[in-house]
Amino acid sequence: MAVVEIVDVAVVGAGAAGLTAARSLSAHGLRVVVLEAGSKVGGRVLADKSLAPWPLELGPEFLHGEHHNALLRLVADGIEGKPEASLVELEWPNYYFFGKEGVLMLAEEADEQPDVALMHESFEKLGEISPATFSAPEAEEEPTLLQYFASCGLSSRVLDLADAIFANDYGADMSDVGLHEVMHEQRHWTYGEKYLDAMESLGRGLDVRTAWRVQRIDASPTGWGADGAAVELSAADGRVVRARACVVTVPLSVLQRGEPEFRPPLPPPQAGAIRKLKMGSALKVIVRLRRRFWPADFYDAVCSDSFLPEVWLSPAAELMRPDAAPPYTIVGFVAGARAERVGRLPHADIARRMLAQLDGMFGSSDDPHPASSSCDGFLVKDWAAHPHVHGAYSHPTRGAHGARPALGEAAHGCVFLAGEACHAGVNPCIHGAMETGEQAAARCWSSLQPQSRSRL
Ligand SMILES: Cc1cc2nc3c(=O)[nH]c(=O)nc-3n(C[C@H](O)[C@H](O)[C@H](O)COP(=O)(O)OP(=O)(O)OC[C@H]3O[C@@H](n4cnc5c(N)ncnc54)[C@H](O)[C@@H]3O)c2cc1C
């Protein structure tokens, strides 16, 4: 016989969205439990502590967006044990590497070249163009970012650079990025870059159960017994939690795999949004180096026609200091379909090819293989292989405009979905995920008020 635990609200997933929702609901005095399939809080915020003397971020590293940023507020309030030095603001991109030409160039110099300038102007214009300029968002003919750039007359030389800068950051290829969601986002977000990890602070004091993978959620119109519970969450091993409502924050790719199973199934708007929206993959490779061989002002390069579209020093601020002692760590990042192809290679080959790329970028006739000759360790994090995430983040999707708010609607009056893919502003960021957690918590709280549910 299964042991049944009864709470006010069960939150599924202990990432940014789930922890935010749980904090907010706990602040109302509700009994909240967070059920997390993995072994720790943070979800996609994940650090490795084995390769270097400092933690290396395997997921997010940058804080995007300075306005109304819940994460920035959390950081400003102070995170225990987090050195202030890691909160630095850096212009991005810093360098470009034109792979075909074998040229490494400061971004501010390259940006003055007419074709690179046209690329930036065309992207910036996207925030000003009326969506009506293009075909209906629902239509299969919705233009992709690649088609838009080609229509702006971008040279083939900068098309791959645009792919490395914009699409790789979105977590997809340009041919897979829908224009309407990009335009929508351009009108809603501004960007800044800062480094952080605040999830442990967010989870402090909450009742989080790790290794608790929710397999099924039953929503009952009449409730179970006298305890007022309207949802029942079950694990494969027979554990059961009943709650008056639940907030589900598992990644889009997990929902797409049918996990958890919803009984009755989610209503058509949500089921449709889950089908429509896309989540791409991403892969990071981090190499540990015994010496410096890059210019003193280098911290990042966007690389066209190269194995990895972007490489950066991490943690940049610390490693850029003239007195920084070895080791040094450089991250390579690839997303979208390219990440899937890279992910099929043996990890040692991935590291070898990244080192060859760094040799091409920074080598000289005196020192042709600076990276290959000074590497003494590496790691690869392939997000497609993460057992509870199965991908990186959702990306602006062709024909999916409007699907995100639909995904965040309430289902059956007691199931509330949140998580980065629900954010109408599109950006798949930590603070976007936090905002969806806040919204879901507000809806959940209001549904629990006596006037909303007379039977409770
Ligand atoms: C490589 C990479 C780089 C990124 N870079 C940035 C960046 O620089 N800046 C930025 O702001 N964002 C970045 N992001 C995106 C950011 O990490 C996400 O938008 C955000 O962390 C998502 O939070 P979430 O709460 O929606 O989902 P998650 O963090 O994925 O949380 C969902 C949780 O649900 C759990 N779960 C899954 N299935 C179940 C189940 N059946 N039962 C119980 N629990 C379950 C998962 O284990 C997970 O902990 C990056 C992401 C990746 C992968």
Side-chain angles (χ1 to χ4, degrees):
M1 174 92 178
V3 178
V4 179
E5 189 177 353
I6 296 163
V7 296
D8 289 318
V9 182
V11 174
V12 185
L19 295 176
T20 305
R23 284 203 88 75
S24 173
L25 289 161
S26 302
H28 286 296
L30 295 174
R31 177 148 188 246
V32 181
V33 67
V34 183
L35 306 175
E36 164 56 49
S39 58
K40 57 170 272 301
V41 300
R44 277 169 262 182
V45 180
L46 182 66
D48 170 83
K49 294 183 179 155
S50 64
L51 189 68
W54 46 81
L56 289 161
E57 302 293 346
L58 300 175
E61 263 179 83
F62 307 106
L63 199 152
H64 304 281
E66 293 170 76
H67 300 290
H68 314 294
N69 191 321
L71 187 54
L72 199 56
R73 285 201 299 275
L74 183 73
V75 174
D77 289 347
I79 299 173
E80 223 172 275
K82 197 75 195 169
E84 247 178 68
S86 38
L87 285 169
V88 290
E89 197 150 355
L90 299 168
E91 283 293 317
W92 181 83
N94 167 220
Y95 272 85
Y96 297 140
F97 178 65
F98 294 95
K100 263 190 198 142
E101 298 151 40
V103 173
L104 181 71
M105 196 182 276
L106 261 174
E108 62 192 46
E109 279 169 31
D111 286 346
E112 287 180 10
Q113 299 177 353
D115 52 353
V116 180
L118 178 65
M119 174 190 77
H120 285 298
E121 275 162 34
S122 307
F123 190 72
E124 274 155 32
K125 250 195 246 157
L126 277 171
E128 294 148 29
I129 302 173
S130 154
T133 315
F134 298 104
S135 56
E138 290 295 327
E140 263 307 293
E141 306 82 55
E142 180 189 332
T144 64
L145 190 58
L146 177 62
Q147 287 166 331
Y148 167 73
F149 275 139
S151 75
C152 296
L154 259 60
S155 65
S156 59
R157 174 182 185 251
V158 294
L159 273 179
D160 200 68
L161 185 67
D163 197 77
I165 297 178
F166 305 112
N168 196 55
D169 202 38
Y170 279 133
D173 292 1
M174 281 205 298
S175 56
D176 205 23
V177 170
L179 203 58
H180 279 88
E181 288 210 309
V182 173
M183 289 160 67
H184 184 70
E185 179 181 64
Q186 280 295 94
R187 286 192 293 277
H188 285 81
W189 295 97
T190 56
Y191 294 86
E193 314 278 349
K194 289 175 182 178
Y195 165 90
L196 86 148
D197 171 2
M199 293 302 109
E200 279 174 22
S201 153
L202 200 58
R204 204 160 292 138
L206 294 174
D207 182 357
V208 182
R209 316 283 172 84
T210 51
W212 216 114
R213 184 173 182 176
V214 178
Q215 193 184 43
R216 205 179 66 227
I217 299 179
D218 289 274
S220 160
T222 48
W224 280 271
D227 51 42
V231 281
E232 186 175 83
L233 301 96
S234 328
D237 60 9
R239 283 174 293 173
V240 172
V241 166
R242 284 185 185 160
R244 296 165 67 197
C246 68
V247 177
V248 180
T249 72
V250 306
L252 174 67
S253 48
V254 173
L255 291 171
Q256 286 171 334
R257 297 164 89 94
E259 182 182 330
E261 179 194 354
F262 292 92
R263 289 193 197 166
L266 290 173
Q270 274 142 328
I274 290 169
R275 272 195 308 274
K276 264 187 199 165
L277 288 163
K278 284 193 184 170
M279 176 156 158
S281 184
L283 181 145
K284 273 188 178 180
V285 46
I286 309 180
V287 291
R288 190 178 61 210
L289 304 153
R290 286 186 300 266
R291 64 187 170 99
R292 275 194 244 238
F293 46 78
W294 45 88
D297 63 353
F298 169 85
Y299 52 84
D300 167 88
V302 176
C303 312
S304 64
D305 298 302
S306 302
F307 178 58
L308 299 172
E310 193 169 359
V311 296
W312 61 77
L313 269 183
S314 180
E318 280 82 346
L319 296 185
M320 280 177 84
R321 283 209 298 258
D323 60 347
Y328 308 99
T329 36
I330 295 189
V331 177
F333 179 68
V334 57
R338 272 201 256 201
E340 284 164 35
R341 288 194 293 275
V342 172
R344 287 196 278 273
L345 298 171
H347 287 186
D349 283 2
I350 298 175
R352 229 185 327 272
R353 290 185 66 170
M354 170 166 166
L355 292 167
Q357 179 174 332
L358 294 174
D359 287 341
M361 292 169 69
F362 299 108
S364 63
S365 48
D366 293 342
D367 187 10
H369 306 294
S372 309
S373 63
S374 64
C375 176
D376 63 6
F378 71 89
L379 68 84
V380 173
K381 175 67 187 173
D382 182 0
W383 280 89
H386 189 291
H388 308 304
V389 180
H390 303 287
Y393 38 82
S394 66
H395 64 74
T397 309
R398 203 177 188 188
H401 190 59
R404 292 168 196 273
L407 187 60
E409 287 296 317
H412 315 309
C414 53
V415 177
F416 300 86
L417 263 64
E420 58 87 4
C422 297
H423 200 287
V426 178
N427 199 322
C429 289
I430 301 174
H431 75 277
M434 290 172 75
E435 283 176 15
T436 66
E438 269 167 17
Q439 282 158 11
R443 288 179 180 166
C444 179
W445 168 244
S446 120
S447 80
L448 295 176
Q449 300 316 296
Q451 67 275 20
S452 309
R453 283 250 195 105
S454 51
R455 74 183 163 75
L456 289 176

